[in-house]
Amino acid sequence: MVNSIAIYTSFLRAILGLAGVRPQSVEIEPGTVVHIWAPSETAKKTNNLKQAENKPSKPAVVFLHGFGFNGILSWQFQVLALAKEYSVYVPDFLFFGGSITDRTERSPAFQAECMAKCLRKLGVEKCTLVGLSYGGMVGFKMAEMFPDLVDSFVVSCSVMALTESISRASLERIGFPSWVRHLVPDTVEGVKKIVDVSTYKSLWMPHFLYKDVFETAYNINRKERVELLDALIVKDKDFSPTSYPQNTARRIHLLWGEEDVIFNMEVARNLQE
């Protein structure tokens, strides 16, 4: 049976191609490949990129997705809005979209390392990160580990690290016993619950679309995604906020939803402090 998300993705690929953004796969190391949407001038039809010959001529913006859709389905509208003025990059995290690894590492730090290496191979020397939810956590790690690469960072609905106390409070607010139960649904009804939690106003979609979303976005790499979530939790006693240099801290911007129930305004204020 035809999947509506697959059809839409094909259509989106054509539209983005007209906007000068195309997908490619970048081998980070043997066994680890990052799928990324990037400016057409950096695209190479090979899985063994060493360095892009054409470095971006416009300011680079990198969009980091949350724990659901892949990168381009998450950020399609922002890419179309900004592609004319910016060199836009939209990677898929490992075990999302077309990004894979045979390594056993599942930490945000490993995701950050792979994203940074991918961008380097495409010739990106400085960039602005935009991170949503899980993408924000990986973005904080990128800013910490690669300060020469990350010039500025816009983070939304996220935390520097998902500590035990933040996790407990967030799960209590949304009524789930664990992040796995929330973010790795095993039924179409589970996808509907994700949508209910993630949207400010009720969003109606036909049942077949929820089913296609489940098959496309959630019913793949389930074991690995559970491992990613397990690696995300940090014990309170082990967490120490990163002390960014003052010039870097001034370029970290918070963009929040007042009605966010997962990471509410109290979380945002604590993060700001």
Side-chain angles (χ1 to χ4, degrees), residues 231-251:
L232 200 55
I233 307 297
V234 178
K235 293 183 181 298
D236 288 343
K237 64 182 179 63
D238 294 336
F239 174 64
S240 178
T242 301
S243 296
Y244 297 100
Q246 188 174 23
N247 62 331
T248 300
R250 287 174 178 170
R251 296 195 297 273

Side-chain angles (χ1 to χ4, degrees), residues 3-192:
N3 185 292
S4 60
I5 303 299
I7 294 174
Y8 178 73
T9 300
S10 297
F11 168 77
L12 184 60
R13 180 180 182 131
I15 296 299
L16 289 168
L18 294 175
V21 181
R22 299 182 184 278
Q24 60 181 294
S25 295
V26 179
E27 186 178 61
I28 306 304
E29 59 186 39
T32 300
V33 176
V34 171
H35 180 268
I36 185 170
W37 291 75
S40 299
E41 62 264 24
T42 66
K44 304 290 179 182
K45 294 182 179 180
T46 176
N47 289 329
N48 189 30
L49 293 178
K50 293 184 177 180
Q51 183 70 32
E53 296 177 0
N54 297 318
K55 295 181 180 180
S57 58
K58 297 178 287 189
V61 178
V62 180
F63 288 99
L64 304 174
H65 64 84
F67 209 94
F69 278 128
N70 62 24
I72 203 62
L73 287 176
S74 300
W75 294 108
Q76 54 187 293
F77 301 111
Q78 289 78 11
V79 171
L80 290 170
L82 297 180
K84 184 177 180 180
E85 301 296 331
Y86 296 88
S87 293
V88 179
Y89 297 82
V90 188
D92 293 335
F93 288 130
L94 298 172
F95 303 115
F96 293 84
S99 296
I100 58 170
T101 184
D102 59 7
R103 297 270 296 271
T104 59
E105 287 90 341
R106 299 291 184 262
S107 67
F110 183 59
Q111 294 274 23
E113 179 184 351
C114 290
M115 298 305 112
K117 287 181 177 179
C118 175
L119 293 169
R120 292 293 198 204
K121 284 176 177 280
L122 295 178
V124 178
E125 297 178 350
K126 285 280 187 182
C127 67
T128 292
L129 297 180
V130 182
L132 171 68
S133 190
Y134 180 67
M137 300 176 210
V138 175
F140 273 118
K141 277 296 180 184
M142 289 180 68
E144 174 187 347
M145 297 167 63
F146 305 97
D148 57 328
L149 173 66
V150 180
D151 184 60
S152 57
F153 180 28
V154 179
V155 59
S156 184
C157 309
S158 189
V159 289
M160 194 176 291
L162 190 58
T163 61
E164 291 173 320
S165 55
I166 291 175
S167 179
R168 281 194 302 268
S170 298
L171 288 169
E172 184 177 345
R173 281 193 296 271
I174 63 176
F176 281 86
S178 69
W179 292 110
V180 171
R181 289 288 298 275
H182 175 45
L183 294 173
V184 191
D186 52 11
T187 65
V188 174
E189 289 302 315
V191 177
K192 292 181 179 180

